[in-house]
Amino acid sequence: MAACAACGAPADKSLLARVAEVTCSRGLASADTVALLMVSGGSDSTALAYVAAEMLEAGLLGDAAMLHVNHKLRGAASDGDAAFVERLASRLGIPLFMCDIDIDALVRESGGNMEAVARDQRYRAAREALESTCLHRGFALENGCVFTAHTADDRVENFYMRSIVGTGPGGFRSMDYSSMVHGCRVCRPLLEEGRDALRAYIEGRPDAVVDEAGARWREDATNADTDRFRAFVRHEIVPQAKRRNPQLLETLTRTMNLIADEDDMVASYARDLLLSRVRPLGCSPSEGFLIAPELAAEPAAIVRRVIERVLSLALGRDARIENASIEACAACLGASGAVVNIQGDLAVSYNKQGLRVEPMAAFRARRKKNG
């Protein structure tokens, strides 16, 4: 059988070959990589476990471990998910980390959004599991990454969700092949695979693990509840779009990749300007920033991108930057004497030195001192 010259992957169109090609071409992993697989027991992550095991056998990965987080949200069904994943890991011979986190209790304590809290806890657990795996398997942490089972369907759903509620710069790239989350690299090797193809792959495996009811993966009943936004998009909007264009996943994947390429170019230019046109007002990002007047000469799209980055630094990585805040800052740039109050109680003011973005308390103290 012929092989890919770059990564040694089989040249046929098996799932292994397709995933290996994406993994190689996108620089997600290699024979020197240890991957922590986040496995819930659903069809997507079950397929991820199987294909990662094949990659290990083919020498396309250096090592792997699995992580299952039981959020304790669905009672016996959650425990059944955990038991299924434990059986799967045993069959594949991949070490498994099991983690029980009472998400409902955490939400009651913090008052946060349940999905956001669950995601945060999953990635915190992933960071710890990856560190432990690298330590005990003899890999440098920089050679480790987290594999998630996000698919082309997930990416398309994100695209439509953002189309409905709106999005900021680069939002229509929807999902990246890799990104940094909680200090570790998260890779999405299944991002060009459709959910139906992954299920067919599992169904075609004679060695597939089954649960107590004979199912080859676990179904989460909440995924069918169309009162939830993602489920509404998944079951109501995407099927309609697929009826109009049966190749929707491939079409939108190409479109989102084109958007991502151009977004990367704009982001690179904006990063250069961030270094040359923006300086901090103190030792901590929370103390604010001064944006040089020269930024006003740049195209509006670049100005917005630089401002969005400044606000992200000032408000913290988890803040959702409001478009109104970006536009308010852009409107002040070059408008001498302008002062506005934006999200996070930030004061935005402009004088001949440039655009100051700082906590309102600091702005008032400075005005009082100079007044």
Side-chain angles (χ1 to χ4, degrees):
M1 179 183 294
C4 168
C7 64
D12 64 14
K13 290 299 180 180
S14 67
L15 180 65
L16 171 61
R18 298 195 305 271
V19 173
E21 183 178 353
V22 168
T23 302
C24 176
S25 64
R26 296 284 174 177
L28 305 184
S30 70
D32 298 321
T33 301
V34 58
L36 179 76
L37 319 175
M38 297 186 75
V39 182
S40 67
S43 59
D44 302 343
S45 65
T46 297
L48 175 68
Y50 285 129
V51 77
E54 292 185 13
M55 292 176 73
L56 281 169
E57 187 176 353
L60 302 175
L61 274 179
D63 210 337
M66 289 167 55
L67 169 67
H68 176 77
V69 179
N70 185 344
H71 291 147
K72 312 301 268 184
L73 291 173
R74 294 166 33 248
S78 291
D79 295 336
D81 295 346
F84 174 80
V85 173
E86 194 168 11
R87 196 175 301 130
L88 178 64
S90 177
R91 173 72 60 83
L92 296 176
I94 297 177
L96 173 65
F97 293 87
M98 302 284 283
C99 183
D100 290 353
I101 302 176
D102 191 337
I103 296 298
D104 190 50
L106 288 176
V107 170
R108 288 197 303 271
E109 291 172 8
S110 68
N113 173 273
M114 182 168 290
E115 289 188 9
V117 171
R119 180 182 184 276
D120 180 72
Q121 291 297 318
R122 278 198 306 275
Y123 283 109
R124 287 181 186 276
R127 167 78 186 193
E128 292 179 10
L130 181 61
E131 288 177 344
S132 177
T133 300
C134 289
L135 177 65
H136 291 95
R137 297 294 214 177
F139 285 82
L141 185 58
E142 55 265 29
N143 287 344
C145 67
V146 174
F147 271 14
T148 66
H150 292 104
T151 66
D153 288 88
D154 293 313
R155 197 178 183 194
V156 165
E157 289 161 13
N158 273 10
F159 182 90
Y160 281 114
M161 290 167 72
R162 292 175 181 182
S163 299
I164 293 169
V165 302
T167 186
F172 285 119
R173 66 191 296 155
S174 179
M175 200 175 282
D176 291 326
Y177 288 86
S178 68
S179 58
M180 295 299 294
V181 182
H182 280 307
C184 46
R185 195 164 64 100
V186 175
C187 299
R188 303 171 181 90
L190 303 184
L191 207 53
E192 295 187 6
E193 297 298 324
R195 187 167 293 119
D196 289 344
L198 296 178
R199 292 183 171 186
Y201 164 75
I202 299 172
E203 293 284 9
R205 293 186 67 96
D207 62 340
V209 170
V210 297
D211 67 6
E212 66 279 359
R216 294 176 174 231
W217 59 82
R218 299 283 296 179
E219 291 285 1
D220 182 346
T222 62
N223 288 335
D225 180 7
T226 54
D227 286 339
R228 300 171 69 214
F229 189 24
R230 180 175 292 277
F232 168 74
V233 170
R234 177 176 298 178
H235 297 294
E236 300 289 342
I237 293 179
V238 173
Q240 293 285 351
K242 284 183 175 178
R243 276 191 278 276
R244 178 58 64 94
N245 177 10
Q247 304 303 314
L248 180 73
L249 296 185
E250 294 84 352
T251 300
L252 277 186
T253 292
R254 286 195 300 271
T255 299
M256 289 182 287
N257 284 345
L258 288 172
I259 292 171
D261 288 343
E262 296 194 4
D263 183 54
D264 286 341
M265 180 183 67
V266 173
S268 177
Y269 184 37
R271 278 193 297 271
D272 291 341
L273 288 175
L274 188 70
L275 293 173
S276 63
R277 298 286 187 262
V278 180
R279 67 175 178 86
L281 292 174
C283 298
S284 168
S286 63
E287 294 180 65
F289 296 87
L290 178 67
I291 301 174
E294 290 81 4
L295 184 67
E298 299 291 338
I302 298 296
V303 171
R304 285 195 296 268
R305 185 64 66 98
V306 173
I307 290 172
E308 189 273 338
R309 184 59 184 150
V310 167
L311 295 181
S312 293
L313 291 170
L315 294 172
R317 67 181 183 186
D318 294 328
R320 185 180 182 277
I321 307 303
E322 298 170 2
N323 186 63
S325 297
I326 298 173
E327 294 298 338
C329 292
C332 281
L333 187 62
S336 186
V339 179
V340 294
N341 188 350
I342 62 171
Q343 69 178 108
D345 202 24
L346 290 178
V348 180
S349 59
Y350 185 84
N351 60 29
K352 62 182 181 180
Q353 292 181 319
L355 187 75
R356 293 178 70 99
V357 179
E358 61 190 329
M360 181 58 74
F363 170 78
R364 287 173 176 157
R366 185 168 53 81
R367 287 286 291 267
K368 184 176 181 180
K369 180 180 178 181
N370 295 334

Coordinates of all heavy atoms in Angstrom, one line a residue, residues 265-335:
M265 N -4.2 36.3 8.5 CA -3.4 37.4 8.0 C -3.7 38.7 8.7 O -2.8 39.4 9.0 CB -3.7 37.5 6.5 CG -2.9 38.6 5.8 SD -3.3 38.8 4.0 CE -5.0 39.4 4.2
V266 N -5.0 39.0 8.8 CA -5.4 40.2 9.5 C -4.9 40.2 11.0 O -4.4 41.2 11.5 CB -6.9 40.4 9.5 CG1 -7.3 41.6 10.3 CG2 -7.4 40.6 8.1
A267 N -5.0 39.0 11.6 CA -4.6 38.9 13.0 C -3.1 39.1 13.2 O -2.6 39.8 14.1 CB -5.0 37.6 13.6
S268 N -2.3 38.7 12.2 CA -0.9 38.8 12.2 C -0.5 40.3 12.1 O 0.4 40.8 12.9 CB -0.2 38.0 11.1 OG 1.2 38.2 11.1
Y269 N -1.1 41.0 11.2 CA -0.9 42.4 11.1 C -1.3 43.2 12.3 O -0.6 44.1 12.8 CB -1.6 43.0 9.9 CG -1.4 44.4 9.5 CD1 -0.1 45.0 9.7 CD2 -2.4 45.2 9.0 CE1 0.2 46.3 9.4 CE2 -2.1 46.6 8.7 CZ -0.9 47.1 8.9 OH -0.6 48.4 8.6
A270 N -2.4 42.8 12.9 CA -2.9 43.5 14.1 C -1.9 43.2 15.3 O -1.7 44.1 16.1 CB -4.3 43.0 14.5
R271 N -1.4 42.0 15.4 CA -0.4 41.7 16.4 C 0.8 42.6 16.3 O 1.4 43.1 17.3 CB 0.0 40.3 16.4 CG -0.9 39.3 17.1 CD -0.3 37.9 17.3 NE 0.0 37.3 16.0 CZ -0.8 36.5 15.4 NH1 -2.0 36.3 15.8 NH2 -0.4 35.9 14.2
D272 N 1.3 42.9 15.1 CA 2.4 43.8 14.9 C 2.1 45.2 15.4 O 2.9 45.8 16.0 CB 2.8 43.8 13.4 CG 3.4 42.5 12.9 OD1 3.9 41.7 13.8 OD2 3.4 42.2 11.7
L273 N 0.9 45.6 15.0 CA 0.5 47.0 15.5 C 0.3 47.0 17.0 O 0.6 48.0 17.6 CB -0.8 47.4 14.8 CG -0.7 47.7 13.3 CD1 -2.1 48.0 12.7 CD2 0.2 48.9 13.1
L274 N -0.1 45.9 17.6 CA -0.3 45.9 19.0 C 1.0 46.1 19.7 O 1.1 46.8 20.7 CB -0.9 44.5 19.4 CG -1.3 44.4 20.9 CD1 -2.5 45.2 21.2 CD2 -1.6 42.9 21.2
L275 N 2.1 45.6 19.1 CA 3.4 45.7 19.7 C 4.0 47.1 19.5 O 4.7 47.7 20.3 CB 4.4 44.7 19.1 CG 4.1 43.2 19.5 CD1 5.0 42.3 18.7 CD2 4.3 43.0 21.0
S276 N 3.7 47.7 18.3 CA 4.3 49.0 18.0 C 3.4 50.2 18.3 O 4.0 51.3 18.4 CB 4.6 49.0 16.5 OG 3.4 48.9 15.7
R277 N 2.1 50.0 18.5 CA 1.2 51.2 18.7 C 0.5 51.2 20.0 O -0.2 52.1 20.3 CB 0.2 51.2 17.6 CG 0.7 51.4 16.2 CD 1.1 52.8 16.0 NE 1.5 53.1 14.6 CZ 2.7 53.1 14.1 NH1 3.7 52.8 15.0 NH2 3.0 53.3 12.9
V278 N 0.8 50.2 20.8 CA 0.1 50.0 22.1 C 1.1 49.8 23.2 O 2.0 49.0 23.1 CB -0.9 48.9 22.1 CG1 -1.7 48.8 23.5 CG2 -2.0 49.1 21.0
R279 N 0.9 50.5 24.3 CA 1.8 50.3 25.5 C 1.0 50.2 26.8 O -0.1 50.8 26.9 CB 2.9 51.3 25.6 CG 2.4 52.7 26.0 CD 3.6 53.7 26.3 NE 3.2 55.0 26.6 CZ 2.9 55.4 27.8 NH1 2.9 54.5 28.8 NH2 2.6 56.7 28.0
P280 N 1.4 49.3 27.7 CA 0.7 49.2 29.0 C 0.8 50.4 29.8 O 1.8 51.1 29.8 CB 1.3 48.0 29.6 CG 2.6 47.9 29.0 CD 2.6 48.4 27.6
L281 N -0.2 50.7 30.7 CA -0.2 51.8 31.6 C 0.4 51.4 32.9 O 0.6 52.3 33.8 CB -1.6 52.4 31.8 CG -2.2 53.1 30.5 CD1 -3.6 53.5 30.8 CD2 -1.3 54.3 30.1
G282 N 0.7 50.2 33.1 CA 1.2 49.7 34.4 C 1.8 48.3 34.3 O 2.0 47.8 33.1
C283 N 2.1 47.7 35.4 CA 2.7 46.4 35.4 C 1.7 45.3 35.1 O 2.1 44.2 34.6 CB 3.4 46.1 36.7 SG 4.7 47.2 37.2
S284 N 0.4 45.5 35.3 CA -0.6 44.5 35.0 C -1.5 45.0 33.9 O -1.8 46.2 33.8 CB -1.4 44.3 36.3 OG -2.6 43.6 36.0
P285 N -2.0 44.0 33.0 CA -2.9 44.4 32.0 C -4.2 45.1 32.5 O -4.8 45.9 31.8 CB -3.2 43.1 31.3 CG -2.1 42.2 31.6 CD -1.6 42.6 33.0
S286 N -4.6 44.7 33.7 CA -5.8 45.3 34.3 C -5.7 46.8 34.6 O -6.7 47.5 34.8 CB -6.2 44.6 35.6 OG -5.2 44.7 36.6
E287 N -4.4 47.3 34.5 CA -4.2 48.8 34.8 C -4.5 49.6 33.5 O -4.6 50.8 33.6 CB -2.8 49.0 35.3 CG -2.5 48.4 36.6 CD -1.1 48.7 37.1 OE1 -0.8 49.9 37.3 OE2 -0.3 47.7 37.2
G288 N -4.6 48.9 32.4 CA -5.0 49.6 31.2 C -3.9 49.8 30.2 O -2.8 49.3 30.4
F289 N -4.3 50.5 29.0 CA -3.3 50.6 27.9 C -3.5 52.0 27.3 O -4.6 52.6 27.3 CB -3.6 49.5 26.9 CG -3.4 48.1 27.3 CD1 -4.3 47.4 28.0 CD2 -2.1 47.5 27.2 CE1 -4.1 46.1 28.5 CE2 -1.9 46.2 27.6 CZ -2.9 45.5 28.3
L290 N -2.4 52.4 26.6 CA -2.5 53.6 25.8 C -2.2 53.2 24.3 O -1.2 52.6 24.0 CB -1.4 54.6 26.3 CG -1.3 55.9 25.5 CD1 -2.5 56.7 25.6 CD2 0.0 56.7 25.9
I291 N -3.2 53.6 23.5 CA -3.1 53.3 22.0 C -2.6 54.6 21.3 O -3.2 55.6 21.5 CB -4.4 52.8 21.5 CG1 -4.9 51.6 22.2 CG2 -4.3 52.6 20.0 CD1 -6.3 51.1 21.9
A292 N -1.5 54.5 20.6 CA -1.0 55.7 19.9 C -1.9 56.2 18.9 O -2.7 55.5 18.2 CB 0.3 55.3 19.2
P293 N -1.9 57.6 18.7 CA -2.8 58.2 17.7 C -2.7 57.7 16.3 O -3.6 57.7 15.5 CB -2.4 59.7 17.8 CG -1.7 59.9 19.1 CD -1.1 58.5 19.4
E294 N -1.5 57.2 16.0 CA -1.2 56.8 14.6 C -2.1 55.6 14.2 O -2.3 55.3 13.0 CB 0.3 56.4 14.5 CG 1.3 57.5 14.5 CD 1.6 58.0 15.9 OE1 1.1 57.3 16.9 OE2 2.3 59.0 16.1
L295 N -2.6 54.9 15.2 CA -3.5 53.7 14.8 C -4.7 54.2 14.0 O -5.2 53.5 13.2 CB -4.0 53.0 16.1 CG -4.8 51.7 15.8 CD1 -3.9 50.6 15.1 CD2 -5.4 51.2 17.1
A296 N -5.1 55.5 14.2 CA -6.3 56.0 13.5 C -6.1 56.0 12.0 O -7.1 56.0 11.2 CB -6.6 57.4 14.0
A297 N -4.9 56.0 11.5 CA -4.6 56.0 10.1 C -4.8 54.6 9.4 O -4.8 54.5 8.2 CB -3.2 56.5 9.8
E298 N -4.9 53.6 10.2 CA -5.1 52.2 9.7 C -6.5 52.0 9.2 O -7.4 52.6 9.7 CB -4.7 51.2 10.7 CG -3.2 51.3 11.2 CD -2.2 50.9 10.2 OE1 -2.6 50.2 9.2 OE2 -1.1 51.3 10.3
P299 N -6.7 50.9 8.4 CA -8.1 50.6 7.9 C -8.9 50.3 9.2 O -8.5 49.7 10.2 CB -7.9 49.4 7.0 CG -6.5 49.5 6.6 CD -5.7 50.1 7.7
A300 N -10.2 50.5 9.0 CA -11.2 50.3 10.2 C -11.1 48.9 10.7 O -11.2 48.7 11.9 CB -12.6 50.7 9.7
A301 N -11.0 47.9 9.8 CA -11.0 46.5 10.2 C -9.8 46.2 11.1 O -9.9 45.5 12.1 CB -11.0 45.6 9.0
I302 N -8.7 46.8 10.8 CA -7.5 46.6 11.6 C -7.6 47.3 12.9 O -7.2 46.8 14.0 CB -6.2 47.1 10.8 CG1 -6.0 46.3 9.5 CG2 -5.0 47.0 11.7 CD1 -5.7 44.9 9.7
V303 N -8.2 48.5 12.9 CA -8.4 49.3 14.2 C -9.2 48.5 15.1 O -8.9 48.4 16.3 CB -9.0 50.7 13.9 CG1 -9.4 51.4 15.2 CG2 -8.0 51.5 13.1
R304 N -10.3 47.9 14.6 CA -11.2 47.2 15.4 C -10.5 46.0 16.0 O -10.7 45.6 17.2 CB -12.5 46.7 14.6 CG -13.5 47.9 14.4 CD -14.8 47.3 13.9 NE -14.7 46.6 12.6 CZ -14.9 47.2 11.5 NH1 -15.2 48.5 11.4 NH2 -14.8 46.6 10.4
R305 N -9.7 45.3 15.2 CA -9.0 44.1 15.6 C -8.0 44.4 16.8 O -7.9 43.7 17.7 CB -8.3 43.4 14.5 CG -7.6 42.1 14.8 CD -8.7 41.0 15.2 NE -9.6 40.7 14.1 CZ -9.4 39.7 13.3 NH1 -8.4 38.8 13.5 NH2 -10.3 39.4 12.3
V306 N -7.3 45.5 16.6 CA -6.3 45.9 17.7 C -7.1 46.3 19.0 O -6.7 45.8 20.0 CB -5.5 47.1 17.2 CG1 -4.6 47.6 18.3 CG2 -4.6 46.7 16.0
I307 N -8.2 47.0 18.8 CA -8.9 47.4 20.0 C -9.5 46.2 20.7 O -9.5 46.1 21.9 CB -10.1 48.4 19.6 CG1 -9.5 49.7 19.2 CG2 -11.1 48.5 20.7 CD1 -10.5 50.7 18.6
E308 N -10.0 45.2 19.9 CA -10.6 44.0 20.5 C -9.5 43.3 21.3 O -9.8 42.8 22.4 CB -11.1 43.1 19.4 CG -11.9 41.9 19.9 CD -11.0 40.7 20.2 OE1 -9.9 40.6 19.7 OE2 -11.5 39.8 20.9
R309 N -8.3 43.2 20.8 CA -7.2 42.6 21.5 C -6.8 43.3 22.8 O -6.6 42.7 23.9 CB -6.0 42.4 20.6 CG -4.8 41.7 21.2 CD -5.2 40.3 21.6 NE -4.1 39.6 22.3 CZ -4.3 38.7 23.2 NH1 -5.5 38.3 23.6 NH2 -3.3 38.1 23.8
V310 N -6.8 44.6 22.7 CA -6.5 45.5 23.9 C -7.6 45.2 25.0 O -7.3 45.0 26.2 CB -6.5 47.0 23.5 CG1 -6.5 47.8 24.8 CG2 -5.2 47.2 22.7
L311 N -8.9 45.2 24.6 CA -9.9 45.0 25.6 C -9.9 43.6 26.2 O -10.1 43.4 27.4 CB -11.3 45.2 24.9 CG -11.6 46.6 24.5 CD1 -13.0 46.7 23.9 CD2 -11.4 47.6 25.6
S312 N -9.5 42.6 25.4 CA -9.3 41.2 25.9 C -8.2 41.2 26.9 O -8.4 40.5 27.9 CB -9.0 40.3 24.7 OG -10.0 40.1 23.8
L313 N -7.1 41.9 26.7 CA -6.1 41.9 27.7 C -6.5 42.6 28.9 O -6.2 42.2 30.1 CB -4.8 42.6 27.1 CG -4.1 41.8 25.9 CD1 -3.1 42.7 25.3 CD2 -3.4 40.6 26.5
A314 N -7.2 43.7 28.8 CA -7.6 44.5 29.9 C -8.7 43.8 30.8 O -8.7 43.9 32.0 CB -8.2 45.9 29.5
L315 N -9.6 43.1 30.1 CA -10.7 42.5 30.9 C -10.5 41.0 31.2 O -11.2 40.4 32.0 CB -12.0 42.6 30.0 CG -12.5 44.0 29.8 CD1 -13.6 44.0 28.8 CD2 -13.0 44.6 31.1
G316 N -9.4 40.4 30.7 CA -9.2 39.0 31.0 C -9.6 38.1 29.9 O -10.5 38.4 29.1
R317 N -9.0 36.9 29.8 CA -9.2 36.0 28.6 C -10.6 35.4 28.5 O -11.0 35.0 27.5 CB -8.2 34.8 28.7 CG -8.4 33.9 29.9 CD -7.4 32.8 29.9 NE -7.7 31.9 31.0 CZ -6.9 30.9 31.4 NH1 -5.8 30.6 30.7 NH2 -7.3 30.1 32.4
D318 N -11.3 35.4 29.7 CA -12.6 34.8 29.6 C -13.7 35.8 29.3 O -14.9 35.4 29.2 CB -13.0 34.1 31.0 CG -12.1 32.9 31.3 OD1 -11.7 32.3 30.3 OD2 -11.7 32.7 32.4
A319 N -13.4 37.1 29.2 CA -14.4 38.1 28.9 C -14.9 38.0 27.5 O -14.1 37.8 26.6 CB -13.8 39.5 29.2
R320 N -16.2 38.2 27.3 CA -16.8 38.3 26.0 C -16.8 39.8 25.6 O -17.6 40.5 26.2 CB -18.2 37.7 26.0 CG -18.8 37.6 24.6 CD -20.2 37.0 24.7 NE -20.8 36.9 23.3 CZ -21.4 37.8 22.7 NH1 -21.5 39.0 23.3 NH2 -21.9 37.7 21.5
I321 N -16.0 40.1 24.6 CA -15.9 41.5 24.3 C -17.1 41.9 23.4 O -17.4 41.4 22.4 CB -14.6 41.8 23.5 CG1 -13.4 41.3 24.3 CG2 -14.4 43.3 23.2 CD1 -13.2 41.8 25.7
E322 N -17.8 43.0 23.9 CA -19.0 43.4 23.2 C -18.6 44.3 22.0 O -17.7 45.1 22.1 CB -19.9 44.2 24.2 CG -20.4 43.4 25.4 CD -21.0 44.2 26.5 OE1 -21.1 45.4 26.3 OE2 -21.4 43.6 27.5
N323 N -19.3 44.1 21.0 CA -19.1 44.9 19.8 C -19.3 46.4 20.0 O -18.5 47.3 19.5 CB -20.0 44.5 18.6 CG -19.7 45.2 17.3 OD1 -18.6 45.1 16.8 ND2 -20.6 46.0 16.8
A324 N -20.2 46.7 20.9 CA -20.5 48.1 21.3 C -19.3 48.8 21.9 O -19.0 49.9 21.7 CB -21.7 48.2 22.2
S325 N -18.5 48.0 22.7 CA -17.3 48.5 23.3 C -16.2 48.8 22.3 O -15.5 49.8 22.4 CB -16.8 47.5 24.4 OG -17.7 47.3 25.4
I326 N -16.1 47.9 21.3 CA -15.1 48.1 20.3 C -15.4 49.3 19.5 O -14.6 50.2 19.2 CB -15.0 46.8 19.4 CG1 -14.6 45.6 20.2 CG2 -14.1 47.1 18.2 CD1 -14.6 44.3 19.4
E327 N -16.7 49.5 19.1 CA -17.1 50.6 18.3 C -16.9 51.9 19.1 O -16.6 53.0 18.5 CB -18.5 50.4 17.8 CG -18.8 49.3 16.9 CD -18.0 49.4 15.6 OE1 -17.6 50.6 15.2 OE2 -17.7 48.4 14.9
A328 N -17.2 51.9 20.4 CA -17.1 53.1 21.2 C -15.6 53.5 21.3 O -15.3 54.7 21.2 CB -17.6 52.8 22.6
C329 N -14.7 52.6 21.4 CA -13.3 52.9 21.4 C -12.9 53.5 20.1 O -12.1 54.4 20.0 CB -12.5 51.7 21.7 SG -12.6 51.1 23.4
A330 N -13.3 52.8 19.0 CA -12.9 53.3 17.6 C -13.4 54.7 17.4 O -12.7 55.5 16.8 CB -13.5 52.3 16.6
A331 N -14.6 55.0 17.9 CA -15.2 56.3 17.7 C -14.4 57.4 18.5 O -14.3 58.6 18.0 CB -16.7 56.4 18.1
C332 N -13.8 57.0 19.6 CA -13.1 58.0 20.4 C -11.7 58.2 19.8 O -11.1 59.3 20.1 CB -12.9 57.4 21.8 SG -14.3 57.6 22.9
L333 N -11.1 57.3 19.1 CA -9.8 57.4 18.5 C -9.7 58.6 17.6 O -10.4 58.6 16.5 CB -9.4 56.1 17.8 CG -7.9 56.0 17.3 CD1 -7.0 56.1 18.5 CD2 -7.7 54.7 16.6
G334 N -9.0 59.6 18.0 CA -8.8 60.8 17.2 C -9.8 61.9 17.6 O -9.7 63.0 17.1
A335 N -10.7 61.6 18.5 CA -11.7 62.6 18.9 C -11.3 63.2 20.2 O -11.6 62.7 21.3 CB -13.1 62.0 19.0

